[in-house]
Amino acid sequence: MSFSIEKIKDNIGVEIKADKETLLSGKHSTEIREALEANGVFVLKEINFTSEEQLEFTKTLGHVIDEGEGGIYKVTLDTKENEHADYLKGAFYWHMDGSTLDVPILASLLNGFKPSETGGNTEFCSTYVGYEDLPEEDKAAYKDLRVVHSLAAAQYYVHPEPTLEQISTWNMMPSRTHPLVWAHESGRKSLVIGASASHIEGMDYEEGRALLHKLRIHCTQPKYVYSHKWTKGDLVAWDNTGTLHRATHYPANSGRMMHRTKLEGEEPIA
Ligand code: OGA
Ligand code: MN
């Protein structure tokens, strides 16, 4: 019954070393939740969870979202495996999951069922540390700004010249306006940015977009980023409330298959 947590990088990521039995017992769930919030990402190398074990482990950390097959969602570009695979191309750009929800999801857990032979890393950056490291005058300037997030904004990255049908499908998902700076109940603050961030409310449109890109460039500097190179059976989880993530390029026919579970959000952006 071994259990240890070691930092991967100063600003982001820890590796948890433990056996399956210890993890599934839930004995360390509070410690794991705290490590996730404090470090943005945790990695369980080659833990090789079955779907049942992944679900069971996810349940020890919070409330599992019922998505996909009984809570397991297939992240793949293979449309035979997932009919909505085309939307997942949006994952090649820095983003938060569920940013058009009032309460964004707390965390996602990805099980590397079949990594791609080439590319297909998953990368994470901390929007907590990115915010904390901003100059004080910038923090003051951003204090009351509000940012509009939409599915369409994220999908324009994938389809820069969409059909009208694509646009109307995207627009069925209502956009959502959030504070740019999320003041969490814990007292920490993070930036609510990423590909779904369309513009800043009440600011000149292009000026607002330039600011959102400036913040993305700031938060994704190498010192804030952990890039996970997958080995089959790795499980990687991210705190979706204080990180952005993306997949690096991989071929659509690579067979890459990730099994994802999600934890329901517990705190609205405020
Ligand atoms: C996701 C996601 C990235 C990846 O599942 O939400 O963005 O590397 N995945 O597959
Ligand atoms: Mn995602």
Side-chain angles (χ1 to χ4, degrees), residues 1-268:
M1 286 247 162
S2 62
F3 183 87
S4 70
I5 300 182
E6 285 163 33
K7 266 191 179 288
I8 296 174
K9 284 184 81 163
D10 269 355
N11 288 326
I12 187 158
V14 288
E15 181 181 348
I16 299 179
K17 288 186 179 156
D19 56 87
K20 270 189 189 178
E21 194 189 338
T22 305
L23 292 166
L24 297 180
S25 73
K27 231 171 59 183
H28 296 279
S29 57
T30 307
E31 241 175 298
I32 295 174
R33 280 275 306 246
E34 284 168 5
L36 181 61
E37 189 182 337
N39 300 282
V41 173
F42 72 74
V43 176
L44 291 161
K45 282 191 183 151
E46 293 182 73
I47 190 72
N48 284 297
F49 278 147
T50 63
S51 292
E52 292 71 29
E53 288 166 343
Q54 184 180 352
L55 273 168
E56 207 181 315
F57 175 64
T58 309
K59 278 182 197 153
T60 68
L61 301 174
H63 192 272
V64 179
I65 290 183
D66 186 14
E67 192 187 45
E69 291 155 38
I72 301 272
Y73 186 86
K74 289 181 176 172
V75 177
T76 173
L77 294 182
D78 184 348
T79 47
K80 289 196 290 297
E81 294 283 354
N82 181 340
E83 57 174 329
H84 302 296
D86 190 58
Y87 279 104
L88 298 172
K89 291 180 187 157
F92 289 127
Y93 304 92
W94 288 107
H95 67 282
M96 273 173 79
D97 292 337
S99 57
T100 59
L101 304 172
D102 183 23
V103 181
I105 63 153
L106 176 69
S108 297
L109 294 80
L110 218 51
N111 183 348
F113 198 73
K114 187 176 183 299
S116 174
E117 273 171 32
T118 56
N121 279 24
T122 309
E123 304 196 316
F124 305 92
C125 74
S126 176
T127 52
Y128 273 127
V129 185
Y131 175 80
E132 285 156 8
D133 284 357
L134 285 171
E136 289 307 317
E137 63 265 34
D138 290 10
K139 289 183 190 168
Y142 305 153
K143 194 167 68 70
D144 296 320
L145 296 183
R146 292 174 64 78
V147 54
V148 180
H149 282 256
S150 67
L151 172 65
Q155 287 295 313
Y156 274 110
Y157 282 84
V158 185
H159 302 286
E161 292 184 341
T163 63
L164 291 177
E165 268 156 294
Q166 283 174 310
I167 296 174
S168 66
T169 308
W170 302 340
N171 288 348
M172 285 196 288
M173 174 74 92
S175 62
R176 174 89 53 181
T177 306
H178 295 295
L180 177 62
V181 179
W182 182 348
H184 297 247
E185 281 163 18
S186 66
R188 272 188 108 182
K189 290 180 179 167
S190 65
L191 291 162
V192 185
I193 55 176
S196 62
S198 160
H199 60 280
I200 303 282
E201 201 176 61
M203 189 184 277
D204 173 81
Y205 183 79
E206 293 303 343
E207 200 185 320
R209 288 193 61 78
L211 172 58
L212 291 168
H213 284 288
K214 177 181 161 179
L215 294 172
R216 189 237 334 135
I217 291 163
H218 168 73
C219 286
T220 58
Q221 295 175 77
K223 64 180 171 182
Y224 302 128
V225 172
Y226 169 62
S227 183
H228 186 76
K229 185 171 166 48
W230 291 91
T231 301
K232 182 177 162 52
D234 289 347
L235 183 117
V236 179
W238 60 93
D239 173 353
N240 184 62
T241 75
T243 57
L244 298 177
H245 62 282
R246 70 170 178 185
T248 64
H249 179 78
Y250 60 93
N253 65 1
S254 64
R256 186 183 191 266
M257 170 65 77
M258 303 278 149
H259 285 180
R260 187 179 69 199
T261 43
K262 276 182 175 173
L263 287 171
E264 202 169 273
E266 298 174 359
E267 196 183 328

